[in-house]
């Protein structure tokens, strides 16, 4: 272990957390000096979004948010904000809806209040992924960071089990990569440990008792902690692989993260022994990657890329893309080893028992 040295820029964040805190959105908007919110949601959550909008003085709703922030949806959202004369945005939903809020904020400067209903963590990051004509680009800009986040556990009680698992493991992946990030620091690593611990403890409880408010609350706290880590430090191999797989084969975002996580951790284990020791300790296991794999199995998460739509003949293409322009990563990116990782993740073959 070497002497401690780090550079850390903390992101500004106002977080209002608690059961029933949705009732505080009105006062949060007053605090931001906003009077005419536009509420954003997906089509699937439009009913709940409409109820929230009603409580905010019959605010208008734009309910077209979609995965990966398509440019045409953003364009329609901009029109909706302009025609409503909106002076702020309330993004009610998961990463897709918060992405739409960030995309409109970037282009208008409108203030953004995020009301997350999944564990994706986008609300805590200055990162925005957008898609135009099938091409996804990602930017990091402080201009997209929400001014405030209202976490209300009651809004997450309806999140269905498969989403709880996939989105929860997606959050754990941010924290695991945060622990071995090239720019990790004691604050983000402490938060990463807290986030992994909170999610590992709460996700199995939620599956047993979906309306367990205490467990749901612990998971939502974990999501914030993991999202904060994602927003503050750089991601490595795991995120590169997920980006390539999602972009090449249109695989579902959270499920891809859930499947790749133990494999990416195993790839990096020898190069990041301290990070993996922390993961192992938090999970109460002898080995970090084995602990992550066991957690996924225990939660009944998807474990093979072939089960979520990856074609067998895509392995080589993915290995080529993943080894071109790699993200900073503790272990050198070697094509042969990455191809082997992808082949194992494709079939769901897990052999590590350290
Ligand atoms: P999502 O926002 O796409 O939501 C998935 C589905 O679940 C939607 O139909 C949504 O309406 C529904 N849903 C959400 N909350 C619900 C609830 N409480 N009850 C019932 N249904 C609910 O999924 P996600 O995993 O939160 O977000 C994925 C997107 O977020 C991807 O586009 C990803 O790239 C992005 N993302 C961005 C960041 C970032 O920092 N920029 C971080 C993580 C994810």
């Amino acid at each position: 272990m070497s002497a401690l040295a780090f550079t850390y820029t903390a992101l500004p964040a106002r977080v209002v957390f608690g059961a029933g805190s949705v009732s505080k959105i009105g006062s949060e908007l007053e605090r931001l000096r906003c009077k005419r919110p536009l509420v954003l949601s997906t089509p699937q959550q439009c009913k709940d979004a409409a109820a929230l909008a009603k409580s905010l003085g019959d605010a208008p709703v734009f309910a077209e948010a979609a995965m990966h922030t398509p440019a045409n949806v953003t364009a329609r959202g901009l029109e909706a904000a302009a025609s409503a004369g909106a002076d702020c945005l309330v993004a009610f939903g998961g990463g897709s809806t918060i992405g739409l809020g960030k995309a409109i904020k970037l282009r208008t400067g409108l203030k953004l209040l995020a009301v997350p209903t999944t564990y994706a963590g986008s609300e805590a990051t200055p990162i925005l992924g957008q898609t135009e004509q099938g091409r996804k680009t990602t930017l990091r800009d402080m201009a997209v960071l929400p001014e405030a986040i209202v976490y209300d556990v009651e809004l997450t009680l309806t999140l269905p089990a498969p989403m709880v698992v996939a989105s929860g493991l997606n959050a754990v992946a941010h924290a695991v990569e945060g622990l071995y990030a090239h720019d990790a620091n004691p604050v983000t690593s402490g938060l990463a440990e807290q986030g992994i611990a909170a999610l590992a403890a709460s996700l199995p409880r939620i599956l047993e008792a979906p309306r367990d408010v205490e467990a749901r609350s612990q998971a939502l706290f974990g999501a914030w902690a993991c999202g904060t880590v994602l927003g503050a430090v750089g991601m490595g191999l795991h995120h590169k692989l997920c980006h390539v797989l999602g972009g090449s084969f249109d695989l579902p975002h959270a499920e891809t993260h859930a499947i790749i996580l133990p494999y990416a951790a195993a790839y990096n284990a020898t190069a990041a022994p301290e990070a993996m020791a922390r993961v192992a300790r938090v999970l109460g296991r002898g080995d970090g990657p084995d602990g992550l794999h066991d957690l996924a199995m225990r939660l009944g998460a998807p474990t093979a890329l072939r089960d979520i739509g990856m074609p067998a003949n895509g392995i080589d293409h993915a290995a080529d893309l993943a080894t071109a322009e790699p993200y900073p990563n503790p272990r050198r990116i070697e094509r042969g080893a990455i191809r082997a990782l992808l082949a194992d993740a494709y079939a769901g073959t897990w052999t590590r028992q350290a």
Side-chain angles (χ1 to χ4, degrees):
M1 195 153 129
S2 46
L4 204 54
F6 62 89
T7 304
Y8 173 43
T9 308
L11 300 178
R14 176 172 169 88
V15 175
V16 178
F17 193 105
S21 57
V22 74
S23 66
K24 297 185 179 152
I25 292 175
S27 55
E28 284 302 307
L29 291 179
E30 270 173 36
R31 209 184 142 267
L32 293 172
R33 299 180 203 283
C34 294
K35 290 192 168 65
R36 292 181 309 281
L38 173 67
V39 176
L40 307 174
S41 84
T42 59
Q44 294 81 5
Q45 285 177 288
C46 66
K47 257 173 101 178
D48 290 342
L52 170 62
K54 196 159 192 284
S55 76
L56 299 176
D58 272 327
V61 181
F62 178 73
E64 294 185 30
M67 194 78 118
H68 305 311
T69 332
N72 56 342
V73 175
T74 300
R76 287 199 295 277
L78 285 165
E79 280 168 23
S83 69
D87 63 359
C88 67
L89 307 157
V90 174
F92 171 84
S96 297
T97 304
I98 292 167
L100 172 64
K102 288 174 167 181
I104 300 176
K105 176 175 169 57
L106 182 68
R107 290 160 176 84
T108 58
L110 290 178
K111 288 187 175 148
L112 172 62
L113 188 148
V115 188
T117 63
T118 71
Y119 308 135
S122 174
E123 65 280 0
T125 83
I127 304 167
L128 171 62
Q130 304 179 95
T131 330
E132 184 151 26
Q133 288 169 345
R135 218 180 127 252
K136 183 166 175 177
T137 53
T138 301
L139 59 84
R140 205 178 247 273
D141 189 329
M142 287 297 287
V144 304
L145 193 70
E147 272 72 20
I149 313 170
V150 173
Y151 285 105
D152 186 339
V153 63
E154 283 165 15
L155 303 176
T156 67
L157 298 180
T158 48
L159 190 65
M163 271 294 293
V164 166
V165 170
S167 149
L169 290 175
N170 184 180
V172 170
H174 301 146
V176 171
E177 288 238 296
L179 282 171
Y180 58 59
H182 68 97
D183 49 357
N185 65 71
V187 179
T188 54
S189 295
L191 259 179
E193 279 198 32
Q194 283 189 64
I196 298 168
L199 285 157
S202 58
L203 296 178
R205 286 176 61 197
I206 295 172
L207 293 192
E208 271 174 30
R211 299 196 71 83
D212 181 336
V213 172
E214 198 190 308
R216 290 267 190 183
S217 194
Q218 197 180 17
L220 198 54
F221 168 75
W224 173 71
C226 294
T228 302
V229 173
L230 169 68
V233 299
M235 296 285 113
L237 171 67
H238 172 88
H239 279 71
K240 176 75 184 186
L241 287 173
C242 294
H243 194 98
V244 164
L245 292 165
S248 303
F249 312 114
D250 202 22
L251 304 186
H253 176 88
E255 288 82 354
T256 308
H257 275 263
I259 294 169
I260 291 294
L261 175 58
Y263 294 97
Y267 184 93
N268 281 328
T270 47
E274 273 180 47
M276 282 309 130
R278 292 176 89 151
V279 173
R281 191 174 67 233
V282 170
L283 295 177
R285 285 291 310 262
D287 180 62
D290 274 339
L292 292 168
H293 182 256
D294 284 0
L295 177 64
M297 295 292 282
R298 198 170 152 210
L299 296 171
T303 51
L305 292 172
R306 67 175 169 206
D307 295 343
I308 60 164
M310 179 165 171
N313 62 8
I315 294 175
D316 276 302
H317 176 64
D320 288 343
L321 290 182
T323 46
E325 300 172 44
Y327 296 0
N329 189 63
R331 179 176 158 194
R332 215 164 61 82
I333 301 299
E334 299 154 22
R335 193 187 180 283
I338 293 295
R339 195 203 179 279
L341 180 165
L342 285 165
D344 284 345
Y346 170 78
T349 309
W350 183 257
T351 45
R352 189 183 175 101
Q353 280 296 328

